[in-house]
Amino acid sequence: MYLRVLVCMENRSRMNRLVFLGTGTSQGVPLIGCRCPVCTSSDPRDKRLRTSALVTTPEVSVLLDAGPDFRYQMLRAEVRRIDAILLTHAHRDHIAGLDEVRSFNYFQQSAIPVYGNKQTLEGVHRFLPYAFGKHRYPGAPLFEMHQVQSRAFRIGDLHVVPIKVEHYQMEVNAYRMGDLTYVTDAKAIGRASVEKMRGSRTLVVNALRKEPHLTHFSLSDALQLIDELKPERAYIVHTGHALGYAQTQAGLPAGVWMAYDGLAVEF
């Protein structure tokens, strides 16, 4: 599965590509100490690292979040270059791998641009204080921080539109890149943000479990958004151990898939 991902990255076409580096929730799947059917499943699609993705275009490689599995995800997919990182928010399962960016600093001989909203960038500063300030620790990762609000921006040939969604009481950035929209950790999405997503041919959206949850979309919440936007295809991410791949996939409508680690899609 991962060899196929590498081949896709090495032989870039005119199409853009998104590789799911991880599709699990904050604790990953299997969950430590759990003996449920999903955590003990032999299906590799039930083995989920923390949610992250890599977007590649003919010009750039852009990472979506850098959680605690970052190092292994980079090695597993044989990622050799990162031109920028888009952060959705500053929870640990989305930023805990940022220290490992120093390897890319070394080989690329440059700071790595990091994009996020004000709250997210402040969270990164608190999490990695030794990487910033006058007394920056030698060998610490080197970032070029970019605060984004509602305006679109470009990273090489990639056009990026930040879209505000709500993760309980936290503002999270979803991102639209061309005809793909990537949403994770959403609990609520305002009408203006839904309209920014409209027309997306590919939609990636989180769904933690079937039952309602305080801070994340349930599966029915995700399917409701998909039904409203009617993309050509949709992928479910940030899923917990209550959603087994085979059983959940069998119940999904046409054009909707459970994403799994290593899956690559073009857009």
Side-chain angles (χ1 to χ4, degrees), residues 57-188:
T57 75
E59 292 185 9
V60 295
S61 296
V62 177
L63 185 70
L64 286 154
D65 287 332
D69 299 313
F70 173 82
R71 178 180 178 275
Y72 180 54
Q73 289 169 337
M74 296 297 98
L75 292 171
R76 184 170 71 171
E78 299 193 28
V79 179
R80 299 191 180 106
R81 181 177 181 85
I82 290 178
D83 294 294
I85 301 174
L86 299 176
L87 294 178
T88 58
H89 62 299
H91 279 165
R92 188 177 182 279
D93 56 316
H94 295 264
I95 68 168
L98 284 173
D99 181 77
E100 304 290 354
V101 166
R102 53 204 166 108
S103 294
F104 291 103
N105 294 144
Y106 176 78
F107 287 109
Q108 295 174 207
Q109 289 296 293
S110 65
I112 302 298
V114 175
Y115 297 80
N117 62 29
K118 181 175 184 291
Q119 186 179 21
T120 298
L121 298 189
E122 289 173 348
V124 173
H125 277 261
R126 289 192 299 271
F127 183 70
L128 295 171
Y130 56 87
F132 302 97
K134 293 182 180 179
H135 303 291
R136 179 178 170 274
Y137 189 80
L142 184 60
F143 307 112
E144 182 184 285
M145 307 299 276
H146 298 270
Q147 182 177 324
V148 299
Q149 297 178 347
S150 58
R151 291 185 179 181
F153 56 94
R154 299 193 73 86
I155 303 172
D157 57 348
L158 185 66
H159 183 260
V160 182
V161 180
I163 302 174
K164 176 184 173 181
V165 303
E166 297 296 331
H167 181 24
Y168 187 48
Q169 297 178 344
M170 173 181 279
E171 182 178 316
V172 170
N173 274 354
Y175 292 101
R176 180 166 182 171
M177 296 157 283
D179 60 14
L180 178 143
T181 297
Y182 183 93
V183 185
T184 188
D185 289 66
K187 174 59 180 176

Side-chain angles (χ1 to χ4, degrees), residues 223-240:
L223 292 176
Q224 183 176 346
L225 178 65
I226 293 167
D227 184 62
E228 175 167 0
L229 294 176
K230 293 181 171 53
E232 292 180 7
R233 54 187 179 173
Y235 297 91
I236 305 297
V237 295
H238 207 281
T239 52

